[in-house]
């Protein structure tokens, strides 16, 4: 089944017109109705920590730190899920996974690849669940071609692991419904991408699906469905039946969520992400893609903030984190301040079609991810 973006022109117009600045400047900041807490992960230099931002009668305030993940290198692989955040990185030839669960506010750290020199391992992608960590990697073998491997390690005892040798170069990996979905590239023969599905109960290969060209990234929504993202389309795969639904974009209407650094896939059927807009005053802006309508709304800062708010009061350099508060129907936009390496803020606005600024809080650090508690 293929769907087409019949609202493409409308959405493009909406992106630039619906959030009319002159209208917004007449609106006063509105207090929230339902008190909620947000866990905001902040990066200061290379240190990542999380603080609670509490809504107290319509006023946002930063409260105690809930966890510190310590030093996270810039090269770390960021692992985002509905309720969790993890970072995989290699430092001093030691590999580690740092993780946090927002539901029960627990965190942990494990060393991986203890049996190898981690500097000899090129890890393409990592994901994890409450029991295991899954890593897709390649390693050079003396006198042989590259060795492509998927490793399944216990979170409690990472020295207990199993491995699956795969045929093609791993690109991305996602776990869902007792299966591992591995995006691979046949780089030496066809230059085409494949989706390898592994049964985690047996580590047997269930199916290897030909995805064609430019299948660049995998996502998982809150229903466990797998989203295979291309520049010009995406495919949604049911993790149980492996049935597929294809959605193609019209020319110049691709949402562009392949490159997002932070994202939130809500139960409202929308994908909240960072979109690169080369001609906008701020290049990295918030955006939403509606899976049901196949339409994108782009939130240009200059369209819902005045010049003084954008350049002086909030001094926004670009979007760094995004989330959605479904209790109050607010978008949360984490941003870095211009000219400040370790200063940022979080804006709350009402999404399309209102585009109303609710409030802002300055934070000590650059927001990386936001969880609504």
């Amino acid at each position: 089944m293929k769907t087409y973006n019949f609202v493409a022109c409308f959405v493009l117009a909406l992106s630039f017109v619906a959030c009319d600045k002159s209208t917004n400047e007449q609106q006063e900041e509105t207090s929230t109705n339902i008190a909620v807490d947000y866990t905001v992960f902040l990066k200061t230099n290379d240190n990542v920590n999380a603080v609670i931002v509490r809504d107290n009668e319509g006023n946002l305030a930063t409260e105690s730190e809930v966890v510190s993940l310590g030093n996270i290198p810039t090269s770390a692989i960021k692992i985002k899920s509905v309720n969790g955040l993890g970072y995989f990185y290699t430092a001093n030839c030691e590999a580690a996974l740092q993780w946090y669960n927002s539901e029960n506010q627990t965190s942990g750290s494990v060393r991986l690849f203890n049996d190898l020199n981690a500097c000899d391992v090129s890890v393409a992608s990592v994901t994890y669940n409450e029991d295991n960590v899954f890593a897709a990697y390649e390693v050079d073998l003396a006198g042989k071609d590259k060795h492509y491997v998927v490793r399944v390690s216990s979170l409690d005892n990472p020295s207990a692991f199993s491995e699956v040798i795969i045929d093609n170069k791993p690109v991305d990996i996602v776990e869902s419904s007792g299966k591992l979905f591995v995006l691979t590239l046949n780089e030496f023969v066809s230059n085409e991408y494949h989706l390898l599905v592994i049964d985690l109960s047996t580590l047997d290969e269930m199916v290897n699906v030909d995805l064609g060209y430019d299948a660049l990234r995998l996502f998982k929504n809150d229903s466990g469905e797998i989203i295979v993202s291309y520049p010009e389309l995406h495919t949604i795969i049911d993790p149980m039946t492996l049935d597929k639904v294809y959605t193609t974009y019209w020319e110049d209407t691709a949402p562009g969520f392949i490159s997002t650094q932070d994202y939130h896939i809500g139960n409202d059927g929308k994908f909240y992400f960072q979109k690169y807009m080369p001609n906008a005053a701020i290049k990295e802006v918030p955006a939403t893609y509606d899976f049901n309508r196949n339409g994108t709304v782009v939130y240009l800062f200059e369209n819902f903030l005045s010049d003084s708010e954008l350049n002086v009061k909030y001094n926004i350099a670009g979007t760094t984190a995004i989330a959605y508060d479904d209790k109050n129907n607010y978008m949360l936009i984490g941003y870095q301040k211009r000219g400040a390496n370790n200063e940022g803020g979080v804006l709350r606005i009402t999404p399309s079609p209102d585009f109303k600024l609710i409030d802002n809080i300055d934070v000590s650090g650059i927001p990386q991810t936001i969880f609504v508690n």
Side-chain angles (χ1 to χ4, degrees), residues 217-238:
R217 194 168 176 184
L218 301 180
F219 297 94
K220 182 173 72 171
N221 64 22
D222 63 345
S223 299
E225 294 173 322
I226 308 303
I227 301 166
V228 184
S229 185
Y230 301 74
E232 75 285 353
L233 61 91
H234 68 261
T235 301
I236 297 180
I237 300 175
D238 186 301

Side-chain angles (χ1 to χ4, degrees), residues 40-229:
V40 183
F41 278 83
L42 303 169
K43 190 165 189 176
T44 305
N45 296 322
D46 281 340
N47 288 292
V48 175
N49 68 301
V51 298
I52 293 294
V53 172
R54 180 156 287 134
D55 181 355
N56 184 13
E57 298 181 352
N59 297 311
L60 291 178
T62 302
E63 305 221 344
S64 60
E65 178 180 295
V66 292
V67 67
S68 175
L69 298 184
N71 187 282
I72 304 294
T74 304
S75 59
I77 297 174
K78 180 179 178 181
I79 309 153
K80 177 72 181 292
S81 65
V82 174
N83 299 310
L85 174 69
Y87 287 97
F88 171 84
Y89 57 90
T90 299
N92 300 318
C93 290
E94 293 184 352
L97 171 70
Q98 298 265 62
W99 57 269
Y100 174 81
N101 185 303
S102 67
E103 279 192 321
N104 51 26
Q105 295 187 353
T106 59
S107 61
S109 175
V110 294
R111 283 185 56 189
L112 302 173
F113 298 105
N114 296 325
D115 57 311
L116 300 172
N117 183 339
C119 285
D120 295 334
V121 176
S122 178
V123 176
S125 183
V126 177
T127 190
Y128 66 97
N129 59 22
E130 59 185 10
D131 299 314
N132 297 303
V133 55
F134 313 96
Y137 72 95
E138 59 183 88
V139 62
D140 289 322
L141 296 181
K144 299 181 180 180
D145 293 334
K146 288 182 181 294
H147 200 50
Y148 302 128
V149 186
V150 172
R151 175 175 289 202
V152 181
S153 303
S154 167
L155 269 181
D156 293 332
N157 180 18
S159 296
F161 64 84
S162 300
E163 293 191 328
V164 179
I165 307 302
I166 61 177
D167 294 331
N168 294 320
K169 178 185 177 69
V171 176
D172 206 353
I173 187 170
V174 171
E175 179 271 338
S176 182
S177 302
K179 303 177 183 69
L180 205 56
F181 296 81
V182 187
L183 179 65
T184 66
L185 172 64
N186 187 344
E187 61 178 343
F188 296 117
V189 180
S190 65
N191 208 34
E192 291 183 316
Y193 289 82
H194 300 264
L195 187 66
L196 175 64
V197 183
I198 299 173
D199 186 336
L200 286 175
S201 64
T202 63
L203 293 186
D204 291 333
E205 297 184 8
M206 299 179 61
V207 66
N208 198 353
V209 181
D210 186 355
L211 296 176
Y213 300 101
D214 298 328
L216 301 181
R217 194 168 176 184
L218 301 180
F219 297 94
K220 182 173 72 171
N221 64 22
D222 63 345
S223 299
E225 294 173 322
I226 308 303
I227 301 166
V228 184
S229 185

Side-chain angles (χ1 to χ4, degrees), residues 324-357:
Y324 175 62
D325 175 358
D326 59 356
K327 297 181 179 67
N328 293 290
N329 189 32
Y330 292 159
M331 280 181 60
L332 289 92
I333 304 166
Y335 63 89
Q336 180 177 0
K337 290 184 178 291
R338 187 183 292 110
N341 292 330
N342 297 307
E343 296 295 328
V346 178
L347 287 170
R348 294 195 298 182
I349 68 172
T350 53
S352 168
D354 294 332
F355 299 95
K356 182 188 297 182
L357 172 66

Side-chain angles (χ1 to χ4, degrees), residues 239-258:
M240 299 301 294
T241 65
L242 303 183
D243 290 339
K244 298 179 288 295
V245 176
Y246 303 91
T247 301
T248 301
Y249 319 127
W250 280 3
E251 185 177 359
D252 298 326
T253 64
F257 51 66
I258 291 177

